[in-house]
């Protein structure tokens, strides 16, 4: 198939999922056209089936706000027409789903029928989506997509709860590619980070408020009081400056390393003993799945779709949001008992296998084919 993928190109979860999906499909022989404002962060290589179409915007003194959505729509029309796309798959409702709706109408006026699939990722529904300035457009765009997917059961329920949705929503879980995410021997690296055998605790996020990365630091402080350990904070975002101040305030700058945005996440996870994800909301928790694939147990909050990924008492522990005492206690329970640690590591890996890319991506392909058939038969689509 010829598939257009629209996403945010940054390190955020939705962009990562879209890029990994497109990459896998390209290796399966499909032709993938990424349409976005920058080359996606994880698209760092050349493949003959992958094409990147940059959306460039027009700046004009009259425009107080650059009309990105309009440029994106035009680009979708141009690519769909010139490349003869079979399907457009947009990730994150805003502004991608509404732009895709307009693109579909423009294409229909030219006699071209194209199905639009929208994948909802989380904050497009649970945070941004609830904003009254966006709600009606999101609702309309979802109802007018030919196929809609959510990355967890939780997110599907939230979407039905907060919007008047007339469409059937499929749950297609996020996935993991074990050919990229598997434990590698990085003992030399571990010795540099933890020369005296300290336990390595890791947190990866975009450091937005919703991630509650400060809780990770408070949990770490309590763990470090009991066992020698160090904390790796990977990623970047609006809260980073506050976190650095917090580290100074509690006097743990030497034990906490801010590594910024990293590409070789699997290498850093390979030296990690525990992953902390204390988010106040998380529709899935892709970072937790990536850790589990590399045999790293997860101590997380118990909200959103996280319990669909991290199993309490098996692959890690689930605690109430903000309960840093419980998170520290559970972290110590894992780190201080090598038999339990080993068991949780194995369980985490086994659980991650349920989300193996080979099991999940065919569900998207099946959906593409299903909606393509329906759209082909639908005579109303042409305007
Ligand atoms: O908040 C983020 O990490 C970014 C956001 C995104 O859309 O890029 O992530 C959401 O999508 C990810 C991929 O489907 C999910 O794993 C995250 O749980 C979800 N984030 C939230 O719901 C807060």
């Amino acid at each position: 198939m010829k598939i257009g993928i629209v996403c945010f190109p940054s390190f955020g979860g939705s962009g990562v999922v879209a890029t990994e999906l497109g990459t896998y499909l390209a290796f399966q022989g499909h032709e993938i056209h990424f349409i976005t404002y920058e080359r996606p962060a994880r698209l760092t290589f050349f493949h003959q089936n992958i094409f990147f179409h940059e959306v460039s915007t027009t700046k004009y003194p009259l425009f107080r706000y650059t009309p990105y959505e309009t440029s994106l729509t035009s680009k979708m029309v141009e690519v769909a027409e010139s490349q003869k796309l079979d399907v457009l798959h947009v990730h994150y409702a805003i502004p991608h789903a509404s732009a895709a709706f307009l693109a579909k109408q423009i294409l229909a006026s030219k006699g071209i029928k194209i199905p639009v699939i929208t994948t909802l990722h989380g904050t497009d529904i649970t945070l941004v989506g609830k904003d009254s300035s966006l709600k009606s457009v999101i609702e309309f765009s979802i109802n007018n997509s030919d196929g809609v997917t959510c990355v967890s059961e939780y997110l599907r329920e939230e979407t039905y709860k907060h919007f008047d949705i007339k469409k059937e929503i499929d749950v297609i879980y996020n996935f993991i590619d074990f050919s990229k995410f598997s434990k590698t021997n990085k003992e030399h690296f571990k010795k540099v980070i933890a020369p005296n055998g300290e336990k390595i605790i890791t947190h990866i996020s975009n450091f937005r408020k919703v991630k509650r990365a400060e809780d990770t630091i408070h949990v770490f402080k309590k763990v470090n009081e009991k066992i020698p350990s160090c904390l790796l904070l990977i990623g970047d975002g609006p809260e980073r400056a506050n976190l650095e101040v917090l580290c100074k305030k509690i006097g743990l700058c030497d034990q906490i390393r801010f590594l910024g945005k990293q590409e070789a996440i699997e290498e850093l996870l390979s030296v990690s003993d525990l992953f902390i994800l204390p988010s106040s909301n998380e529709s899935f928790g892709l970072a937790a799945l990536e850790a589990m694939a590399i045999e790293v147990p997860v101590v997380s909050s118990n909200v959103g779709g996280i319990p669909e990924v991290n199993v309490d008492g098996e692959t890690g522990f689930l605690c109430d949001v903000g309960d840093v005492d419980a998170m520290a206690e559970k972290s110590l329970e894992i780190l201080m008992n090598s038999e339990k640690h080993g068991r949780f590591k194995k369980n985490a890996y086994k659980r991650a296998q349920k989300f193996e890319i080979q099991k999940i991506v065919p569900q998207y392909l099946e959906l593409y084919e299903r909606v393509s058939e329906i759209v082909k038969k639908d005579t109303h689509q042409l305007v």
Side-chain angles (χ1 to χ4, degrees):
M1 288 183 106
K2 291 185 173 195
I3 303 155
I5 294 186
V6 181
C7 64
F8 287 114
S10 52
F11 276 85
S14 62
V16 168
V17 170
T19 313
E20 300 284 352
L21 171 65
T23 304
Y24 183 78
L25 289 171
F27 276 90
Q28 298 279 301
H30 298 279
E31 192 176 295
I32 305 300
H33 294 265
F34 284 102
I35 306 169
T36 183
Y37 58 81
E38 223 171 64
R39 200 173 171 82
R42 284 211 184 166
L43 200 62
T44 51
F45 54 90
F46 169 79
H47 189 282
Q48 70 273 19
N49 290 344
I50 298 182
F51 300 84
F52 166 54
H53 306 269
E54 187 171 327
V55 179
S56 47
T57 51
T58 307
K59 285 196 173 66
Y60 185 68
L62 188 63
F63 299 153
R64 184 158 170 200
Y65 306 104
T66 311
Y68 174 69
E69 202 166 336
T70 310
S71 306
L72 172 65
T73 306
S74 295
K75 189 54 95 180
M76 283 193 221
V77 171
E78 178 200 314
V79 176
E81 198 175 4
S82 64
Q83 305 299 324
K84 301 193 171 31
L85 296 185
D86 297 307
V87 63
L88 257 179
H89 186 175
V90 303
H91 293 258
Y92 210 87
I94 324 146
H96 301 154
S98 51
F101 173 76
L102 183 55
K104 190 168 99 170
Q105 298 305 307
I106 297 170
L107 287 160
S109 74
K110 294 166 180 258
I112 300 167
K113 285 182 181 184
I114 186 162
V116 170
I117 312 282
T118 298
T119 291
L120 305 171
H121 279 272
T123 46
D124 43 356
I125 296 299
T126 56
L127 284 180
V128 195
K130 286 181 184 160
D131 191 307
S132 58
S133 69
L134 301 165
K135 199 167 182 247
S136 58
V137 175
I138 296 178
E139 196 168 271
F140 178 86
S141 311
I142 294 173
N143 281 327
N144 284 282
S145 295
D146 299 295
V148 183
T149 77
C150 278
V151 298
S152 62
E153 291 289 348
Y154 156 80
L155 188 58
R156 172 160 67 178
E157 275 166 36
E158 283 296 292
T159 310
Y160 281 131
K161 205 191 296 169
H162 295 288
F163 296 88
D164 184 13
I165 300 298
K166 314 256 184 293
K167 272 231 110 69
E168 186 63 40
I169 300 179
D170 287 301
V171 171
I172 301 185
Y173 281 117
N174 286 335
F175 48 81
I176 191 85
D177 185 349
F178 281 92
S179 70
K180 290 186 193 149
F181 273 85
S182 53
K183 199 172 172 69
T184 47
N185 188 342
K186 292 278 157 200
E187 277 314 302
H188 58 290
F189 181 34
K190 193 164 189 159
K191 281 207 177 82
V192 176
I193 297 176
N196 303 309
E198 295 90 337
K199 297 290 181 196
I200 302 180
I201 298 171
T202 302
H203 168 82
I204 306 175
S205 75
N206 47 32
F207 295 173
R208 289 193 221 134
K209 272 215 175 311
V210 68
K211 301 293 172 181
R212 294 186 66 99
E214 70 281 9
D215 284 1
T216 306
I217 294 176
H218 292 303
V219 172
F220 171 71
K221 183 174 181 289
K222 289 174 189 292
V223 170
N224 190 52
E225 277 160 13
K226 294 270 163 42
I227 48 170
S229 42
C230 62
L231 174 64
L232 304 182
L233 291 173
I234 303 165
D236 214 332
E239 289 301 303
R240 178 165 170 177
N242 292 338
L243 298 172
E244 291 188 278
V245 170
L246 177 62
C247 290
K248 280 193 196 115
K249 202 168 136 194
I250 59 176
L252 283 175
C253 290
D254 290 341
Q255 288 93 332
I256 300 177
R257 286 175 189 237
F258 286 85
L259 301 182
K261 289 178 183 167
Q262 294 285 331
E263 264 162 31
I265 295 293
E266 62 288 355
E267 294 186 9
L268 291 158
L269 287 169
S270 289
V271 300
S272 303
D273 296 296
L274 187 73
F275 189 83
I276 310 250
L277 188 69
S279 312
S280 60
N281 199 4
E282 203 68 69
S283 69
F284 182 87
L286 185 61
L289 177 61
E290 291 181 340
M292 287 160 60
I294 301 200
E295 302 171 33
V296 184
V298 175
V299 170
S300 66
S301 52
N302 54 11
V303 286
I306 301 179
E308 293 172 58
V309 182
N310 185 25
V311 183
D312 191 43
E314 267 185 41
T315 61
F317 286 108
L318 297 165
C319 306
D320 289 341
V321 172
D323 192 346
V324 292
D325 288 335
M327 288 183 196
E329 192 189 305
K330 294 298 181 188
S331 300
L332 286 164
E333 191 176 324
I334 295 173
L335 294 173
M336 291 173 85
N337 179 336
S338 60
E339 183 278 321
K340 191 172 257 185
H341 195 191
R343 186 154 40 87
F344 275 48
K345 280 159 100 169
K346 277 200 194 107
N347 291 345
Y349 175 71
K350 212 165 150 212
R351 176 83 189 149
Q353 284 178 318
K354 290 204 180 324
F355 302 92
E356 208 175 8
I357 195 162
Q358 289 88 340
K359 292 177 186 141
I360 307 287
V361 171
Q363 298 173 32
Y364 279 117
L365 275 174
E366 191 273 321
L367 179 65
Y368 295 163
E369 274 153 21
R370 184 164 24 109
V371 294
S372 295
E373 280 308 307
I374 295 168
V375 168
K376 254 188 237 157
K377 284 183 195 145
D378 180 8
T379 46
H380 295 101
Q381 235 205 46
L382 299 180
V383 289

